[in-house]
Amino acid sequence: MEDFKTIAELIAIAEKNSSSLAQVVINREKALTDKSEKEIRNKMAESLKVMRQSIKKGLTEDISSMSGLTGGDAQKVEKARKAGKSIAGDLFSKIIANTLAVSELNAAMGKIVACPTAGSCGILPGSLTTIAAEHDCSEKQIIDALFVASGFGIVIAKQASVSGAAGGCQAECGSASSMTAAAITYLLGGTKAQVASAAAIALKNLLGLVCDPVAGLVEVPCIKRNTIGSSNALTAAEMALAGVESVIPVDEVIVAMKKIGDALPSSLKETSQAGLAATPTANKIKEDLLKNL
Amino acid sequence: MNNLSAFDIIGPVMIGPSSSHTAGAVRIGNLAKEIVDNQLKEVKIYFHGSFKETYQGHGTDKAIIGGLLGLKTDDSKIKESFKLAKAEGFSFEFFPADLDDVHPNTMKLEIIDQDEIETTIVASSIGGGNIIVSELNGTEVKLKGEYYTLITFHSDKPGLIAKISEILQIYNLNIAEMEVLRKEKGSQATAIINLDQKVEKHILKLLSDIPGINNIKLVKPLV
């Protein structure tokens, strides 16, 4: 199996075989699972279908989380967009609405694709499918881009972590944003170096982000943090496609993320003991929820 | 983590909001159903630690009931599991609890099936939807739902384990992992045998006929 531990290795394999980044990830999966390329592509197509369904559901159905804390914000943004009230352009508003839709659906026990986690599940679908629709990309192109996102996620999981409990929110929303930046850049025809730069820039911008969920729930601030993951991915891809390079290579950024995660106190890694989770309002929310037990 | 699949990163497809508190709870329910292997009548669920504090907000309560009904982690019906359980005629109750020195995401299930047989299970959700059953009817076990697992309850005497492995060998069943536990010398003992291959019913019968074996259970792996 031609496996890769780093993005540099992933790119080197692609260059050696004159293949795309997506193909390297697909070939690795073939060797790993003994499945055909067709089966593997079909499985990703299935995930893409669920991603689109989750956006649609989040935008059209009445969504309210089990705790009652969240829901309905995607529809607010979508309504403002449709009324022509977008500040940063229609595509940007669409991405924010679609990202919120998936994250809110997750909090309301809807069906989602964890990418890489359930807590960060709005970023990749919300951004990638929206940009792909805007640019009339084919299904094959979108699925290839998802494999690229997955390849970057594999490296991050190997070298650092994609768990908030291990690395803070930088490991969840940061990783998702980095994977998404790579996927968008790849989808829109960026070079291998540009794809790597986009991933590096996106992850750099979210380094140090802590995981401090109010009352331990995947709601506040998680849902809105998905939107910063999307807007950040878009910003990074925009820069990378324009030729802006990351001074620090993506593999070094990933290792830095791991070290920052290790240095973060456990109170800021999904334990709800500090940060937003320890604010007066969060304490009040927690008390109210416990009263209902 | 070297065998990480592309679909471990983009995936699984699941019902939110949390792989540990929702998907993990569904899988605990699935494995408990597998262990009981009979129509359920009454279930008492004791939530410990992080489960105790957030089970409603994470839908852990709906997830465990959905799992006990056999729903998979990506089934949208999990949200309506209470209604489905009532339709199937099994009752359930939740209690906050402190279960001593266990993983923060742990629950205890007291299950009574339609034949009035009681099963007690202690299980933890250990991250990413992975689970472990650590106690079965008061006996310490280690079940993760990864294998075909034989659980024996037998008299602690020499030669019995040899007889079990002899039968497994005849049918070419490979032991992946095995653990024998007992409370004290000469008392009731338990063997947990994880196998790489499927165990057919007639083999189970042969094993249960070994003198000294009081009870034997087969638990199928979770998909």
Side-chain angles (χ1 to χ4, degrees), chain A residues 164-169 208-212 259-275:
Chain A
C169 192
L209 194 61
V210 300
C211 178
D212 49 357
K259 288 185 177 166
I260 293 167
D262 290 345
L264 281 177
S266 76
S267 60
L268 291 167
K269 289 189 276 193
E270 220 181 297
T271 54
S272 298
Q273 288 164 354

Side-chain angles (χ1 to χ4, degrees), chain B residues 22-48:
Chain B
T22 321
V26 173
R27 286 169 58 82
I28 288 174
N30 289 159
L31 194 53
K33 179 181 194 292
E34 190 54 52
I35 291 169
V36 172
D37 197 24
N38 197 351
Q39 178 78 37
L40 308 182
K41 191 182 149 203
E42 203 184 310
V43 185
K44 284 188 178 134
I45 296 152
Y46 300 86
F47 286 126
H48 167 92

Side-chain angles (χ1 to χ4, degrees), chain A residues 22-204:
Chain A
Q23 196 59 49
V24 177
V25 180
I26 292 168
N27 289 348
R28 178 184 178 276
E29 196 67 20
K30 271 161 68 176
L32 198 66
T33 59
D34 271 336
K35 288 196 173 118
S36 71
E37 176 157 346
K38 194 170 172 223
E39 284 174 287
I40 290 164
R41 283 184 170 279
N42 284 346
K43 192 167 178 191
M44 195 59 93
E46 223 14 75
S47 296
L48 177 58
K49 198 171 136 194
V50 176
M51 287 178 179
R52 286 190 174 123
Q53 284 167 347
S54 59
I55 291 173
K56 197 175 165 202
K57 256 184 172 302
L59 283 182
T60 54
E61 291 180 14
D62 254 350
I63 301 289
S64 175
S65 66
M66 295 300 116
S67 69
L69 280 177
T70 53
D73 290 346
Q75 299 191 14
K76 280 184 194 156
V77 176
E78 181 67 356
K79 201 172 153 199
R81 179 188 77 79
K82 283 187 169 158
K85 288 183 187 163
S86 175
I87 297 170
D90 188 67
L91 176 66
F92 187 78
S93 296
K94 251 188 214 165
I95 286 174
I96 299 304
N98 290 351
T99 301
L100 283 173
V102 180
S103 286
E104 286 184 332
L105 184 72
N106 178 59
M109 294 193 84
K111 192 200 270 196
I112 54 95
V113 184
C115 52
T117 60
S120 59
C121 69
I123 299 169
L124 183 60
S127 306
L128 188 69
T129 64
T130 316
I131 286 184
E134 190 81 5
H135 289 262
D136 287 326
C137 298
S138 70
E139 286 298 284
K140 182 177 179 294
Q141 284 174 311
I142 305 170
I143 286 164
D144 276 357
L146 286 172
F147 277 111
V148 171
S150 200
F152 276 71
I154 288 170
V155 171
I156 296 171
K158 279 184 183 178
Q159 298 291 341
S161 167
V162 295
S163 138
C169 192
Q170 56 165 5
E172 295 207 25
C173 286
S175 299
S177 188
S178 179
M179 288 159 54
T180 304
I184 295 171
T185 307
Y186 180 86
L187 183 75
L188 300 184
T191 64
K192 294 180 179 72
Q194 286 174 337
V195 173
S197 262
I201 294 167
L203 190 55
K204 282 194 298 185

Side-chain angles (χ1 to χ4, degrees), chain B residues 59-118:
Chain B
T60 309
D61 46 1
K62 296 190 166 72
I64 179 68
I65 298 302
L68 286 167
L69 289 168
L71 301 179
K72 298 297 169 204
T73 50
D74 66 346
D75 196 321
S76 299
K77 290 201 289 290
I78 287 168
K79 212 174 163 177
E80 279 98 53
S81 65
F82 288 1
K83 218 167 61 191
L84 295 171
K86 278 171 195 148
E88 274 206 17
F90 93 75
S91 64
F92 52 87
E93 242 183 306
F94 302 102
F95 305 92
D98 283 306
L99 301 173
D100 295 334
D101 189 18
V102 291
H103 187 280
N105 290 334
T106 297
M107 64 175 90
K108 182 169 139 186
L109 309 176
E110 287 174 2
I111 303 170
I112 297 171
D113 70 17
Q114 61 175 3
D115 299 327
E116 300 294 331
I117 296 169
E118 198 178 324

Side-chain angles (χ1 to χ4, degrees), chain A residues 228-284:
Chain A
I228 197 61
S230 284
S231 22
N232 177 53
L234 204 62
T235 308
E238 182 113 350
M239 281 194 268
L241 283 164
V244 176
E245 289 173 14
S246 174
V247 174
I248 311 294
V250 62
D251 286 314
E252 292 181 35
V253 178
I254 292 169
V255 172
M257 188 266 266
K258 152 87 172 138
K259 288 185 177 166
I260 293 167
D262 290 345
L264 281 177
S266 76
S267 60
L268 291 167
K269 289 189 276 193
E270 220 181 297
T271 54
S272 298
Q273 288 164 354
L276 294 173
T279 55
T281 300
N283 287 333
K284 172 90 177 34

Side-chain angles (χ1 to χ4, degrees), chain B residues 12 29 43-44 50-51 79 88 90 119 124 127 130 137 155 170:
Chain B
V43 185
K44 284 188 178 134
S50 169
F51 274 159
K79 212 174 163 177
E88 274 206 17
F90 93 75
T119 307
S124 309
N130 296 308
N137 294 336
S155 313
I170 292 170

